[in-house]
Amino acid sequence: MKQLIHDRQLLIRRIFLMCYDMLAVITAGMLALFVRFEFHFTAIPIEYLDEYWRRIPWMLAVTLVIFWTLRLYSSLWSYAGALEMMYIVSACVLDVLAVLMIFLLGRWENTTYPIPRSFYVLYGMFLIALVMGCRYSYRGVRALRTLRQNGTYQRNVLIVGAGDAGNQLIKEIKNSYYIRKRVVGVIDDDHFKIGSYIHGAKVVGDRHCIPAKVQELHVHEIIIAMPSAPPRQIKEILDVCKETGCELKRLPGIYQLVNGEVSISSLKDVDVNDLLGREPVSVDLDSIMGYVSGKVIMITGGGGSIGSELCRQIACHQPRQLIIVDIYENTTYDIQNELRAAFPELDLVVLIASIRNTNRMNYIFETYHPEIIYHAAAHKHVPLMEDSPNEAIKNNVLGTLKLVQAADRYHVRRFVQISTDKAVNPTNIMGASKRICEMIIQTYNKRSATEYVAVRFGNVLGSNGSVIPLFRKQIERGGPVTVTHPDIVRFFMTIPEAVSLVLQAGAYAKGGEIFVLDMGEPVRILDLARNLILLSGHKPDEDIPIIFTGLRPGEKLYEEMLMEEEGLTETENKLIHIGKPIEMNEEHFLEQLEKLKNYVVTEPADIRRWVQEIVPTYHPDNV
């Protein structure tokens, strides 16, 4: 029914335009004769009028054919732009040439009185004006209707960037029925553009004018329309914008402009990643990922933040089989569905299993024979592990030990352990358990044909249990935002960045190394909290309070990436370093490990003291 109504409306509109165009042809011709003979109808020779009316049927028929061919009856004139204007001019010029031929043919047949040559020029001018006036009146009516509907706009918008992307965004905002925004100004650092207009929006100044213009123009929202700008430039602009209290949005990247996707729908909220102000870590995985192609790859903890991203990036490089092992079914189910949809040809095996279950691990290894293992399964939440230290040891230490032993038993080619900066001079049981895992890796590398390596990095933005999702939830509730200490700092990296470096470290592995990822400059957690509040359109300590709760058990003010005695060796990638293995009595370590395994299952209250004997650099507050 809706389609029938739409078709009927379309037919009525086309009939109306055809009737109007026929009237325009007649009017344009009469006006041309009227102007030619000095604006006096009585001065027009009767012979010209007779000849004109005799040729009108031919002129109308030719005009309709030309206009139909050039799509003047099928365009959406409420969105007419430069292209539609070109079609109108082209159609009218062709029509003038056709009319000229009609009158010339009449002269060759000696049946016509010669029409003045100026008639054709004047006829063309009037025809263009009449046809264009009708078509573009659609836009005028639409603009008036939009003004009436909006009355007062819901949001005033300031656009940063007067380039191609800004131009397209302003055009879409102004032309849309459904976008309740008004562009009140444009910001650009090019001083030659200041004072000019883009679709009626004035370029009001450079980035330094933003705070003043926000107040002057009552701006509610700022849109960064600079998809090709480098991250450092974006950060500089955001540092200015975030203090205004306006909601911030931006175009994600240059590909949006290349693909013609610059639109309101492609905007994203500015987040804290944009304020890191550094170039994203770039790794040419295609050139190094040959070591996973055609191999059976197993990822433990494959449903977690790091594990699932490992799955995504490895799936792109044609493994023979990808095996996901995880104890938590919900996120594992999500990544299973995602990979099956994105890589239908992938031989994917998804198994729910605990790395602490020896028989289950042996069955998996015996059945699937993995060649490369990425071990990301672990308990990682520091405060929770402080409350349940025995579970940290059972899962992280004993689970890793059983997995390492199975890798040796079933001749796995390479084993990559995901470690943490908290393993360096640990003050919490989680970090200490991860340090023991690194020691297991180094010990077994000397006793097995399997290449065992560890990769150590810091906090990952947006991962499960990280501080950013917590801050967002607290802001949504209206605060307060909780920070443990005003001076606490952490290293941060995005999930794709961390995983790409893990994969490259796996390519460099020869066995026994602890790879340390360069996480850039440390970031104050208080600054992250303030930035997130500002980016949400609120003011810290006024709209959203920030309170300090004190350091939690086992928590440091700062994290270290490398123990002093380890030293560093560079790799081809300047962001990946190799820590020198610490000399230790491996036989004594294995004896301690066996005693720890037997002791922890008794649920002792003093497990930290036992761990401290194995990891001398572990200094818990409560021991």
Side-chain angles (χ1 to χ4, degrees):
M1 186 64 183
K2 289 183 179 179
Q3 184 63 39
L4 185 62
I5 294 172
H6 176 267
D7 292 343
R8 186 181 301 166
Q9 290 175 342
L10 184 61
L11 179 61
I12 292 171
R13 187 171 64 211
R14 286 178 174 173
I15 291 173
F16 167 77
L17 286 175
M18 288 179 180
C19 294
Y20 175 86
D21 289 342
M22 287 190 286
L23 183 61
V25 168
I26 296 170
T27 304
M30 292 303 297
L31 285 174
L33 291 172
F34 177 67
V35 173
R36 168 62 180 77
F37 289 97
E38 300 176 353
F39 303 95
H40 293 290
F41 274 114
T42 56
I44 304 174
I46 192 65
E47 295 85 357
Y48 287 164
L49 290 174
D50 288 343
E51 184 58 31
Y52 176 70
W53 289 111
R54 189 180 303 123
R55 299 296 171 183
I56 275 292
W58 292 100
M59 292 170 62
L60 295 177
V62 167
T63 299
L64 292 176
V65 170
I66 292 174
F67 282 17
W68 184 277
T69 303
L70 291 184
R71 299 186 294 183
L72 265 61
Y73 300 119
S74 57
S75 296
L76 287 173
W77 294 104
S78 54
Y79 296 96
L83 183 61
E84 286 75 19
M85 183 182 295
M86 184 186 72
Y87 280 133
I88 291 174
V89 173
S90 300
C92 291
V93 169
L94 288 175
D95 186 68
V96 171
L97 295 176
V99 169
L100 175 62
M101 293 300 298
I102 289 171
F103 281 100
L104 287 177
L105 286 172
R107 288 183 63 184
W108 290 337
E109 297 169 2
N110 294 318
T111 61
T112 185
Y113 197 81
I115 294 288
R117 285 172 295 182
S118 59
F119 166 83
Y120 304 107
V121 177
L122 293 170
Y123 168 75
M125 292 170 56
F126 285 122
L127 185 63
I128 290 173
L130 290 168
V131 173
M132 196 174 292
C134 172
R135 265 62 174 186
Y136 280 84
S137 65
Y138 276 80
R139 284 191 62 172
V141 170
R142 185 171 173 275
L144 288 173
R145 188 188 304 171
T146 302
L147 284 173
R148 287 182 60 189
Q149 286 179 348
N150 287 351
T152 56
Y153 291 88
Q154 291 183 1
R155 299 180 73 77
N156 289 340
V157 176
L158 188 68
I159 303 289
V160 180
D164 291 336
N167 171 66
Q168 293 184 49
L169 278 176
I170 295 168
K171 182 179 178 181
E172 181 175 355
I173 291 171
K174 285 186 172 291
N175 288 343
S176 175
Y177 278 123
Y178 307 103
I179 300 173
R180 298 293 183 259
K181 301 177 189 291
R182 179 176 65 175
V183 180
V184 294
V186 184
I187 296 293
D188 200 282
D189 287 340
D190 186 348
H191 288 271
F192 289 103
K193 294 181 180 179
I194 296 175
S196 57
Y197 289 81
I198 304 175
H199 299 293
K202 186 177 181 180
V203 182
V204 295
D206 59 19
R207 71 177 73 173
H208 304 294
C209 301
I210 291 176
K213 294 303 177 184
V214 165
Q215 296 294 325
E216 178 186 333
L217 302 172
H218 306 289
V219 174
H220 304 104
E221 183 177 325
I222 300 175
I223 299 177
I224 315 282
M226 302 170 62
S228 59
R232 185 165 296 279
Q233 185 179 356
I234 293 292
K235 180 184 181 299
E236 291 170 358
I237 292 172
L238 289 175
D239 284 340
V240 177
C241 293
K242 70 183 183 182
E243 301 297 336
T244 63
C246 294
E247 183 179 342
L248 302 182
K249 295 183 182 297
R250 76 175 187 90
L251 286 172
I254 186 61
Y255 71 92
Q256 297 280 351
L257 187 58
V258 173
N259 294 341
E261 298 173 11
V262 175
S263 66
I264 291 296
S265 62
S266 64
L267 293 174
K268 72 165 189 173
D269 291 333
V270 170
D271 59 34
V272 74
N273 295 344
D274 301 312
L275 291 168
L276 292 181
R278 58 171 173 79
E279 294 289 341
V281 173
S282 178
V283 176
D284 182 12
L285 289 178
D286 291 335
S287 65
I288 62 169
M289 289 296 285
Y291 77 97
V292 303
S293 298
K295 303 291 193 304
V296 178
I297 311 296
M298 186 169 99
I299 300 174
T300 68
S305 304
I306 296 297
S308 61
E309 184 62 23
L310 277 167
C311 292
R312 293 183 191 97
Q313 295 197 27
I314 289 173
C316 295
H317 294 87
Q318 295 80 46
R320 178 154 60 91
Q321 188 175 57
L322 180 60
I323 304 166
I324 299 176
V325 177
D326 204 306
I327 192 63
Y328 185 54
E329 61 184 12
N330 292 349
T331 54
T332 307
Y333 178 70
D334 291 338
I335 189 63
Q336 177 188 45
N337 288 341
E338 180 184 334
L339 292 178
R340 283 180 174 170
F343 306 98
E345 303 301 320
L346 176 66
D347 184 357
L348 179 65
V349 176
V350 179
L351 304 170
I352 299 300
S354 170
I355 58 173
R356 291 156 59 172
N357 187 328
T358 305
N359 292 335
R360 177 66 166 152
M361 288 299 105
N362 287 338
Y363 171 80
I364 292 173
F365 278 78
E366 190 173 326
T367 303
Y368 298 100
H369 300 286
E371 297 170 82
I372 300 175
I373 296 175
Y374 288 92
H375 178 37
H379 288 327
K380 306 179 184 73
H381 198 278
V382 170
L384 287 180
M385 292 304 99
E386 287 301 294
D387 293 335
S388 305
N390 292 328
E391 291 304 305
I393 299 304
K394 291 176 194 175
N395 193 75
N396 294 358
V397 176
L398 302 187
T400 298
L401 178 62
K402 291 179 180 182
L403 208 62
V404 164
Q405 291 172 337
D408 173 45
R409 188 179 308 116
Y410 291 96
H411 310 293
V412 171
R413 177 183 170 189
R414 186 170 297 166
F415 186 105
V416 181
Q417 162 78 29
I418 306 299
S419 190
T420 171
D421 56 354
K422 294 174 177 62
V424 182
N425 296 325
T427 57
N428 53 71
I429 195 69
M430 194 282 286
S433 70
K434 285 296 214 175
R435 177 57 193 149
I436 296 176
C437 292
E438 292 179 353
M439 296 165 72
I440 292 171
I441 291 296
Q442 290 186 337
T443 299
Y444 271 83
N445 183 70
K446 297 178 181 179
R447 298 163 179 263
S448 171
T450 301
E451 297 170 346
Y452 293 96
V453 299
V455 182
R456 183 190 292 164
F457 53 87
N459 298 272
V460 180
L461 282 172
S463 63
N464 296 331
S466 73
V467 71
I468 303 302
L470 172 63
F471 285 168
R472 290 192 188 281
K473 290 178 182 177
Q474 291 175 336
I475 292 169
E476 288 172 5
R477 292 197 300 261
V481 170
T482 56
V483 178
T484 56
H485 193 284
D487 298 324
I488 192 168
V489 295
R490 290 292 180 266
F491 294 96
F492 282 102
M493 186 174 280
T494 66
I495 294 174
E497 287 176 330
V499 168
S500 64
L501 289 175
V502 168
L503 292 171
Q504 188 165 30
Y508 293 156
K510 293 182 174 58
E513 303 98 336
I514 295 179
F515 291 96
V516 181
L517 305 189
D518 186 344
M519 303 289 290
E521 294 298 319
V523 178
R524 278 209 318 167
I525 301 299
L526 177 59
D527 291 339
L528 282 181
R530 289 180 55 83
N531 286 335
L532 274 177
I533 294 171
L534 288 167
L535 293 177
S536 301
H538 303 289
K539 293 183 178 179
D541 300 318
E542 294 182 22
D543 303 328
I544 303 289
I546 298 175
I547 61 174
F548 300 104
T549 58
L551 291 176
R552 296 172 296 184
E555 192 171 42
K556 294 182 182 180
L557 274 180
Y558 60 94
E559 301 291 359
E560 304 160 89
M561 292 302 293
L562 198 67
M563 284 185 273
E564 291 180 2
E565 63 267 34
E566 284 184 302
L568 282 178
T569 303
E570 286 192 350
T571 65
E572 293 178 23
N573 187 326
K574 302 302 181 184
L575 297 176
I576 301 176
H577 307 277
I578 300 175
K580 181 182 177 182
I582 298 175
E583 295 297 327
M584 63 180 182
N585 187 327
E586 294 176 2
E587 295 298 334
H588 180 58
F589 168 66
L590 291 174
E591 290 174 4
Q592 289 179 309
L593 209 55
E594 188 65 25
K595 292 178 181 178
L596 181 68
K597 181 174 70 173
N598 295 326
Y599 185 62
V600 72
V601 295
T602 67
E603 300 297 335
D606 63 342
I607 196 66
R608 289 183 176 85
R609 192 177 302 278
W610 281 62
V611 171
Q612 193 176 31
E613 290 181 8
I614 301 173
V615 184
T617 56
Y618 172 44
H619 299 291
D621 295 333
N622 53 354
V623 172

